[in-house]
């Protein structure tokens, strides 16, 4: 598994979610390899991109941007593990047939990867544009298109959407909000 293959699948998911989930299913990479070779490098890149803000705001001390980089790293890794825990508890009630831990972890890896990509884009810009606040909604759409990949039953769709929203997307933003309360304002 190569980092570029992970990014290729991520771009395919963003541009065409249905075809992207078919490609993810066809690739069949083990979740541990996806996490190690795809998601973690992307998280480190998103965290390092926070340091670009120092170039845009040179009046702010470098250690503040270092703290914020660590927050990005922490919130994305924590979001992965929170989602893994919540999905392992609640997803088996939503699927048709047997629950696949491999598919579940792969799904979470790509979901957190999309959030990391949003974080990277946000960190590379000198100021936050309002349209960037809409990207988590598109993330919800992309992950919702993974219904067939995850073999979600018709009766489990609502639970699956709530699980995506409250266990996969929101934790990273809530962790960021908590750290914004204790970190110095920029």
């Amino acid at each position: 598994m190569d980092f570029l293959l992970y990014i290729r699948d991520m771009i395919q998911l963003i541009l065409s979610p249905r075809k992207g989930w078919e490609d993810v299913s066809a690739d069949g990479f083990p979740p541990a390899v996806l996490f190690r070779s795809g998601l973690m490098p992307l998280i480190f890149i998103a965290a390092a991109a926070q340091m670009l803000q120092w170039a845009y705001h040179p009046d702010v001390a470098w250690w503040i941007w270092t703290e914020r980089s660590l927050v990005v790293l922490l919130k994305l890794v924590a979001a992965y593990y929170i989602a893994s825990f919540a999905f392992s508890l609640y997803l088996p009630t939503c699927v048709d047939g047997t629950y696949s831990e491999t598919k579940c972890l792969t799904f979470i890896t790509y979901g957190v990867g999309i959030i990391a990509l949003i974080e990277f884009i946000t960190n590379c810009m000198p100021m936050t544009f309002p349209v960037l606040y809409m990207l988590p909604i598109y993330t919800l759409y992309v992950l919702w298109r993974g219904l067939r990949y995850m073999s979600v039953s018709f009766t489990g769709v609502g639970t699956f959407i709530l699980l995506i929203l409250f266990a996969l997307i929101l934790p990273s933003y809530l962790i960021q909000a908590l750290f914004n309360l204790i970190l110095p304002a920029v």
Side-chain angles (χ1 to χ4, degrees):
M1 169 70 193
D2 185 49
F3 178 70
L4 294 177
L5 292 175
Y6 179 75
I7 295 298
R8 182 201 68 187
D9 283 346
M10 293 274 299
I11 291 171
Q12 182 67 24
L13 280 172
I14 292 167
L15 295 178
S16 174
R18 179 179 289 175
K19 178 76 172 108
W21 287 114
E22 290 172 3
D23 289 349
V24 167
S25 181
D27 288 346
F29 294 118
V33 173
L34 285 173
F35 181 77
R36 184 180 59 248
S37 301
L39 181 61
M40 284 310 293
L42 184 59
I43 289 174
F44 283 122
I45 290 169
Q50 182 69 48
M51 293 301 287
L52 287 175
Q53 294 297 316
W54 193 25
Y56 301 135
H57 306 284
D59 54 325
V60 179
W62 65 270
W63 58 269
I64 291 177
W65 300 118
T66 305
E67 284 178 345
R68 292 191 178 271
S69 293
L70 292 173
V71 168
V72 169
L73 179 72
L74 175 75
K75 77 176 187 176
L76 293 171
V77 171
Y80 175 83
Y81 286 108
I82 290 168
S84 298
F85 176 71
F87 271 65
S88 67
L89 284 178
Y90 296 108
L91 192 64
T93 63
C94 301
V95 297
D96 280 334
T98 60
Y99 166 74
S100 171
E101 186 75 22
T102 301
K103 281 187 174 184
C104 180
L105 291 175
T106 300
F107 183 82
I108 292 167
T109 302
Y110 281 105
V112 174
I114 293 171
I115 295 168
L117 202 56
I118 292 170
E119 189 71 33
F120 172 74
I121 292 167
T122 304
N123 290 340
C124 287
M125 296 188 174
M127 61 184 178
T128 304
F129 296 103
V131 73
L132 294 176
Y133 295 123
M134 300 302 286
L135 291 177
I137 295 170
Y138 186 70
T139 303
L140 181 63
Y141 171 74
V142 168
L143 296 175
W144 170 72
R145 297 302 291 176
L147 284 169
R148 187 176 298 152
Y149 172 75
M150 295 297 290
S151 304
V152 175
S153 67
F154 180 74
T155 58
V157 172
T159 306
F160 183 66
I161 301 259
L162 290 174
L163 197 56
I164 291 170
L165 183 63
F166 290 111
L168 190 67
I169 295 175
L170 283 181
S172 65
Y173 293 103
L174 291 176
I175 292 169
Q176 180 70 49
L178 288 173
F179 275 106
N180 285 344
L181 293 173
I182 60 173
L183 288 177
V186 178

Coordinates of all heavy atoms in Angstrom, one line a residue, residues 1-3 5-7 9-10 21 24 27-42 80 102-110 113 149:
M1 N 0.9 -1.2 0.0 CA 0.0 0.0 0.0 C 0.9 1.2 0.0 O 1.8 1.4 0.8 CB -0.9 0.0 1.2 CG -1.6 1.2 1.5 SD -2.9 1.5 0.3 CE -3.3 3.2 0.6
D2 N 0.6 2.1 -0.8 CA 1.3 3.3 -1.0 C 0.5 4.5 -0.6 O -0.8 4.5 -0.8 CB 1.8 3.4 -2.5 CG 2.7 4.6 -2.8 OD1 3.6 4.8 -2.1 OD2 2.4 5.3 -3.8
F3 N 1.1 5.6 -0.1 CA 0.3 6.8 0.3 C -0.4 7.3 -0.9 O -1.6 7.8 -0.8 CB 1.3 7.8 0.9 CG 0.6 9.1 1.3 CD1 -0.2 9.1 2.3 CD2 0.9 10.2 0.6 CE1 -0.8 10.3 2.7 CE2 0.3 11.4 0.9 CZ -0.6 11.5 2.0
L5 N -1.7 5.7 -3.4 CA -2.9 5.0 -3.7 C -4.0 5.4 -2.7 O -5.2 5.4 -3.1 CB -2.6 3.5 -3.6 CG -1.7 2.9 -4.6 CD1 -1.4 1.4 -4.3 CD2 -2.3 3.0 -6.0
Y6 N -3.7 5.6 -1.5 CA -4.7 6.1 -0.5 C -5.3 7.4 -1.0 O -6.5 7.6 -1.0 CB -4.0 6.2 0.8 CG -4.9 6.7 1.9 CD1 -5.9 5.9 2.5 CD2 -4.8 8.0 2.4 CE1 -6.8 6.3 3.5 CE2 -5.7 8.4 3.4 CZ -6.6 7.6 4.0 OH -7.5 8.0 5.0
I7 N -4.4 8.3 -1.4 CA -4.9 9.7 -1.9 C -5.7 9.5 -3.1 O -6.7 10.2 -3.3 CB -3.7 10.6 -2.1 CG1 -3.0 10.9 -0.8 CG2 -4.1 11.9 -2.8 CD1 -3.8 11.6 0.2
D9 N -7.6 7.0 -3.9 CA -8.9 6.5 -3.5 C -9.7 7.6 -2.8 O -10.9 7.8 -3.0 CB -8.8 5.3 -2.5 CG -8.5 4.0 -3.2 OD1 -8.7 4.0 -4.5 OD2 -8.2 3.1 -2.5
M10 N -9.0 8.5 -2.1 CA -9.7 9.6 -1.4 C -10.2 10.6 -2.5 O -11.4 11.1 -2.3 CB -8.7 10.4 -0.5 CG -8.2 9.6 0.7 SD -9.3 9.8 2.1 CE -9.2 11.5 2.3
W21 N -16.4 4.2 -3.5 CA -16.6 3.1 -2.6 C -16.4 1.7 -3.3 O -16.0 0.8 -2.8 CB -17.9 3.1 -1.9 CG -17.9 4.2 -0.9 CD1 -18.6 5.4 -0.9 CD2 -17.1 4.3 0.3 NE1 -18.3 6.1 0.2 CE2 -17.4 5.5 1.0 CE3 -16.1 3.4 0.9 CZ2 -16.8 5.8 2.2 CZ3 -15.5 3.8 2.0 CH2 -15.8 5.0 2.7
V24 N -12.7 1.3 -3.5 CA -12.2 0.9 -2.2 C -12.4 -0.6 -1.9 O -11.6 -1.3 -1.4 CB -12.8 1.8 -1.0 CG1 -12.6 1.2 0.3 CG2 -12.3 3.2 -1.1
D27 N -10.0 -2.6 -4.2 CA -8.6 -2.5 -3.7 C -8.4 -3.5 -2.6 O -7.4 -4.3 -2.6 CB -8.2 -1.1 -3.3 CG -8.1 -0.2 -4.5 OD1 -8.1 -0.6 -5.6 OD2 -8.1 1.0 -4.2
G28 N -9.3 -3.6 -1.6 CA -9.2 -4.5 -0.5 C -7.9 -4.4 0.3 O -7.4 -5.5 0.8
F29 N -7.4 -3.2 0.6 CA -6.3 -3.1 1.4 C -6.7 -3.4 2.9 O -7.7 -3.0 3.3 CB -5.7 -1.7 1.3 CG -5.1 -1.4 0.0 CD1 -5.6 -0.4 -0.8 CD2 -4.0 -2.1 -0.5 CE1 -5.1 -0.1 -2.0 CE2 -3.5 -1.8 -1.7 CZ -4.0 -0.8 -2.5
P30 N -5.8 -4.0 3.7 CA -6.1 -4.2 5.1 C -6.2 -2.9 5.8 O -5.4 -2.0 5.5 CB -5.0 -5.1 5.6 CG -4.2 -5.6 4.4 CD -4.6 -4.7 3.3
P31 N -7.1 -2.8 6.8 CA -7.2 -1.5 7.5 C -6.0 -1.1 8.2 O -5.7 0.1 8.3 CB -8.4 -1.8 8.5 CG -9.0 -3.0 8.1 CD -8.1 -3.8 7.2
A32 N -5.2 -2.0 8.8 CA -4.0 -1.6 9.5 C -3.0 -1.0 8.5 O -2.3 0.0 8.9 CB -3.3 -2.8 10.1
V33 N -2.9 -1.5 7.3 CA -2.0 -0.9 6.3 C -2.5 0.5 5.9 O -1.8 1.4 5.7 CB -1.9 -1.8 5.1 CG1 -1.1 -1.2 4.0 CG2 -1.2 -3.1 5.5
L34 N -3.9 0.6 5.7 CA -4.5 1.9 5.4 C -4.2 3.0 6.4 O -3.9 4.1 6.2 CB -6.0 1.8 5.2 CG -6.5 1.1 3.9 CD1 -8.0 1.0 4.0 CD2 -6.1 2.0 2.7
F35 N -4.3 2.5 7.7 CA -4.1 3.4 8.8 C -2.6 3.9 8.9 O -2.3 5.1 9.0 CB -4.5 2.8 10.1 CG -4.3 3.6 11.3 CD1 -5.2 4.6 11.6 CD2 -3.2 3.4 12.2 CE1 -5.0 5.4 12.8 CE2 -3.0 4.2 13.3 CZ -3.9 5.2 13.6
R36 N -1.7 2.9 8.7 CA -0.3 3.2 8.9 C 0.3 3.9 7.6 O 1.1 4.8 7.8 CB 0.5 1.8 9.1 CG 1.9 2.0 9.3 CD 2.6 0.6 9.6 NE 2.5 -0.2 8.4 CZ 1.7 -1.4 8.4 NH1 1.1 -1.8 9.5 NH2 1.6 -2.1 7.4
S37 N -0.1 3.5 6.4 CA 0.5 4.0 5.2 C -0.3 5.2 4.6 O 0.2 5.9 3.7 CB 0.7 2.9 4.2 OG 1.5 1.9 4.7
G38 N -1.5 5.3 5.0 CA -2.4 6.3 4.3 C -2.8 7.4 5.3 O -2.6 8.6 5.1
L39 N -3.6 7.0 6.3 CA -4.2 8.0 7.2 C -3.2 8.7 8.1 O -3.2 9.9 8.2 CB -5.2 7.3 8.1 CG -6.0 8.2 9.1 CD1 -6.7 9.3 8.3 CD2 -6.9 7.5 10.0
M40 N -2.3 8.0 8.7 CA -1.3 8.7 9.6 C -0.4 9.7 8.9 O -0.2 10.8 9.4 CB -0.5 7.7 10.4 CG -1.2 7.0 11.5 SD -2.1 8.2 12.6 CE -0.7 9.0 13.4
P41 N 0.1 9.3 7.7 CA 0.9 10.4 7.0 C 0.0 11.6 6.6 O 0.5 12.7 6.7 CB 1.4 9.7 5.7 CG 1.4 8.3 6.1 CD 0.3 8.0 7.0
L42 N -1.2 11.4 6.3 CA -2.1 12.5 6.0 C -2.4 13.3 7.2 O -2.4 14.6 7.1 CB -3.4 12.0 5.4 CG -4.4 13.0 4.9 CD1 -3.8 13.9 3.8 CD2 -5.7 12.3 4.4
Y80 N -10.5 9.0 15.1 CA -10.4 7.6 14.6 C -10.8 6.6 15.6 O -11.6 5.7 15.4 CB -9.0 7.4 14.1 CG -8.8 6.0 13.6 CD1 -9.2 5.6 12.3 CD2 -8.2 5.0 14.4 CE1 -9.0 4.3 11.9 CE2 -8.1 3.7 14.0 CZ -8.5 3.3 12.7 OH -8.3 2.0 12.3
T102 N -13.3 -5.5 9.2 CA -12.3 -5.0 8.2 C -13.0 -3.8 7.4 O -12.4 -2.8 7.3 CB -11.9 -6.1 7.3 OG1 -11.3 -7.1 8.0 CG2 -11.0 -5.6 6.2
K103 N -14.2 -4.0 7.0 CA -14.9 -3.0 6.2 C -15.2 -1.8 7.1 O -15.0 -0.6 6.7 CB -16.2 -3.5 5.7 CG -16.1 -4.3 4.4 CD -17.4 -4.6 3.9 CE -17.3 -5.3 2.5 NZ -18.6 -5.5 1.9
C104 N -15.5 -2.0 8.4 CA -15.8 -0.9 9.3 C -14.5 -0.1 9.5 O -14.6 1.2 9.4 CB -16.2 -1.5 10.6 SG -16.6 -0.3 11.9
L105 N -13.4 -0.7 9.8 CA -12.2 0.1 10.0 C -11.7 0.8 8.7 O -11.2 1.9 8.8 CB -11.1 -0.8 10.6 CG -11.3 -1.3 12.0 CD1 -10.2 -2.2 12.4 CD2 -11.4 -0.1 13.0
T106 N -11.9 0.2 7.6 CA -11.6 0.8 6.3 C -12.4 2.0 6.1 O -11.9 3.1 5.7 CB -11.7 -0.2 5.1 OG1 -10.9 -1.3 5.3 CG2 -11.4 0.4 3.8
F107 N -13.7 1.9 6.4 CA -14.7 3.0 6.2 C -14.3 4.2 7.1 O -14.2 5.3 6.7 CB -16.1 2.5 6.6 CG -17.2 3.5 6.4 CD1 -17.7 3.8 5.2 CD2 -17.6 4.2 7.5 CE1 -18.7 4.7 5.1 CE2 -18.6 5.1 7.4 CZ -19.2 5.4 6.2
I108 N -13.9 3.9 8.4 CA -13.5 4.9 9.3 C -12.2 5.6 8.9 O -12.0 6.8 9.0 CB -13.4 4.3 10.7 CG1 -14.7 3.9 11.3 CG2 -12.7 5.3 11.7 CD1 -14.7 3.0 12.5
T109 N -11.3 4.8 8.3 CA -10.0 5.3 7.9 C -10.2 6.3 6.8 O -9.6 7.4 6.8 CB -9.1 4.2 7.4 OG1 -8.9 3.3 8.5 CG2 -7.7 4.7 7.0
Y110 N -11.1 6.0 5.8 CA -11.3 7.0 4.7 C -12.1 8.1 5.2 O -11.9 9.3 4.8 CB -12.0 6.3 3.6 CG -11.1 5.5 2.7 CD1 -11.0 4.1 2.8 CD2 -10.2 6.1 1.9 CE1 -10.1 3.4 2.0 CE2 -9.3 5.4 1.1 CZ -9.2 4.1 1.2 OH -8.3 3.4 0.4
G113 N -9.9 10.3 7.0 CA -9.0 10.9 6.0 C -9.6 12.1 5.3 O -8.9 13.1 5.0
Y149 N -21.4 -0.3 0.4 CA -20.1 -0.9 0.8 C -20.2 -1.5 2.2 O -19.6 -2.6 2.4 CB -19.0 0.2 0.8 CG -17.7 -0.3 1.3 CD1 -16.8 -1.1 0.6 CD2 -17.2 0.2 2.6 CE1 -15.6 -1.5 1.1 CE2 -16.0 -0.2 3.1 CZ -15.2 -1.1 2.4 OH -14.0 -1.5 2.9

